[in-house]
Amino acid sequence: MADLTIDDNRKLLRYSRLQTLNDCPRKMELQAAMYEENGGFVSLDTAFGTAYGAGIAALLVSNNNLFEGYMAALLAWDADRIPLSTEGGRSLKSFGDCLLAIEKYHNEVAYLILQDWEVATLPNGRKAVETLFVLPLPKGYYASGHIDICLKHKRENRFSIREVKTTADPAFHEAKYGKSSQAVGYAAAIGAAYPDAEVERMYEVYHTANREYTCFPLPYGKADAIKWLVGIVAESERINIYLNYGVFPQNGAGCMKFNRICSMYNFCSDANTLHPECGVKPVTVKDIDLMLGYTDFVKYLNTARA
């Protein structure tokens, strides 16, 4: 696995960071400069989602060993900030609910998947769980992402990108994920790393309130990958404009989200200057699984299946 040092953390473009950029450019700038994603906020929702995702990945890596799934969830739960005894409420997101969800996946889903698929092995020998990829972009920017799970078909030259999600929304729909660029970028990264293989993408969604699984298989092709690359390069140009002007504008509509005040609210306007902790901060991306090349990536787009 490789490491990469970037001269300015604001030039490292992750999916979550780009979402923040669209919510409020100033918040993205502050978070990047303070090495703080998601405002440092940890909730029962995030604790549940992280532990659940770790448990599902462990089941698939271990050939559906339930004990391995339980242990991975336990180690991933942020017990320092969300005690294991925290009640899940109506959304059913306690640690106990997390274990029940993993057991249900073990009993109803994993064994079916593992009949035809296995967790892929990356060129560096690591299993393709939380796979970190980096793609250089023009002008010193980098696209990056963590792929939840990448499966390889046991008999065919096919890969399946699996994004593991949880929700308590009673009205959730495929539209919540269908146009998202997240899994498109992940599929493009795997496609570029394995240009002779077919790649598909799938969202696996666990509804916590009714304890049901829904899978959304989504199309992926050359046009999707091209639009993803154009989009992320355009976002890098947008950030470059802010850097050249020395101002990341605020978006007042983003100061309240999910009934919570933005963690940056009290100091994002300090004399219209950077917060004292801000400025150009280098960042080192460690343990990169797939270090892609921009030229090779564009070549892949020119030859990928439509």
Side-chain angles (χ1 to χ4, degrees):
M1 292 188 285
D3 296 345
L4 172 70
T5 298
I6 302 171
D7 62 351
D8 188 337
N9 192 21
R10 293 169 292 188
K11 294 183 177 182
L12 180 62
L13 307 183
R14 307 184 185 95
Y15 175 76
S16 59
R17 181 167 290 175
L18 293 177
Q19 294 300 106
T20 304
L21 175 68
N22 287 305
D23 286 341
C24 178
R26 175 63 164 156
K27 182 177 181 179
M28 189 227 77
E29 179 194 30
L30 289 166
Q31 286 187 353
M34 297 166 68
Y35 302 108
E36 184 177 329
E37 298 295 335
N38 301 319
F41 183 82
V42 176
S43 67
L44 183 62
D45 294 331
T46 59
F48 182 96
T50 300
Y52 170 77
I56 297 310
L59 286 180
L60 296 175
V61 168
S62 66
N63 198 30
N64 208 20
N65 185 310
L66 185 57
F67 176 77
E68 294 292 334
Y70 284 164
M71 287 303 298
L74 176 62
L75 293 173
W77 187 278
D78 194 341
D80 290 337
R81 289 187 277 187
I82 307 293
L84 292 172
S85 59
T86 304
E87 295 185 2
R90 286 182 295 179
S91 63
L92 299 180
K93 289 188 177 181
S94 69
F95 182 69
D97 292 321
C98 181
L99 297 184
L100 287 174
I102 291 168
E103 182 179 5
K104 185 177 178 69
Y105 193 93
H106 163 82
N107 292 334
E108 300 179 10
V109 182
Y111 80 95
L112 292 173
I113 292 175
L114 292 170
Q115 289 177 10
D116 295 316
W117 300 87
E118 60 188 0
V119 177
T121 300
L122 298 168
N124 62 14
R126 203 176 74 81
K127 289 295 184 181
V129 171
E130 281 296 308
T131 300
L132 173 60
F133 75 88
V134 173
L135 171 66
L137 301 172
K139 300 182 180 179
Y141 286 82
Y142 295 83
S144 176
H146 281 92
I147 304 170
D148 283 354
I149 301 168
C150 178
L151 303 178
K152 188 179 189 305
H153 200 277
K154 292 180 178 180
R155 296 173 297 279
E156 302 172 8
N157 192 18
R158 292 165 54 200
F159 290 90
S160 178
I161 305 302
R162 303 291 176 115
E163 278 299 293
V164 179
K165 304 292 185 182
T166 64
T167 184
D169 185 353
F172 83 101
H173 188 273
E174 178 269 339
K176 184 174 182 179
Y177 312 102
K179 305 299 183 184
S180 170
S181 63
Q182 184 177 23
V184 172
Y186 298 171
I190 293 297
Y194 301 94
D196 295 328
E198 294 184 11
V199 182
E200 62 186 55
R201 58 193 181 110
M202 175 88 73
Y203 278 85
E204 296 186 6
V205 185
Y206 177 67
H207 195 287
T208 60
N210 59 23
R211 291 177 172 157
E212 291 184 357
Y213 287 97
T214 304
C215 291
F216 295 114
L218 299 171
Y220 168 76
K222 176 180 177 181
D224 300 303
I226 291 173
K227 285 187 287 187
W228 173 80
L229 181 62
V230 170
I232 203 164
V233 170
E235 295 286 39
S236 72
E237 293 284 358
R238 177 183 173 191
I239 294 171
N240 221 41
I241 290 172
Y242 297 153
L243 289 174
N244 289 337
Y245 277 103
V247 174
F248 280 69
Q250 299 165 320
N251 176 20
C255 295
M256 287 281 294
K257 199 168 185 181
F258 302 114
N259 296 318
R260 291 194 291 264
I261 298 174
C262 174
S263 60
M264 310 293 173
Y265 183 79
N266 289 326
F267 56 80
C268 73
S269 297
D270 287 354
N272 200 34
T273 62
L274 287 173
H275 184 266
E277 293 184 40
C278 288
V280 178
K281 296 284 188 72
V283 60
T284 299
V285 185
K286 296 184 177 181
D287 300 329
I288 300 169
D289 295 299
L290 294 175
M291 186 68 199
L292 306 172
Y294 185 75
T295 301
D296 290 338
F297 191 84
V298 173
K299 181 180 178 181
Y300 156 71
L301 294 183
N302 289 331
T303 58
R305 294 172 175 83

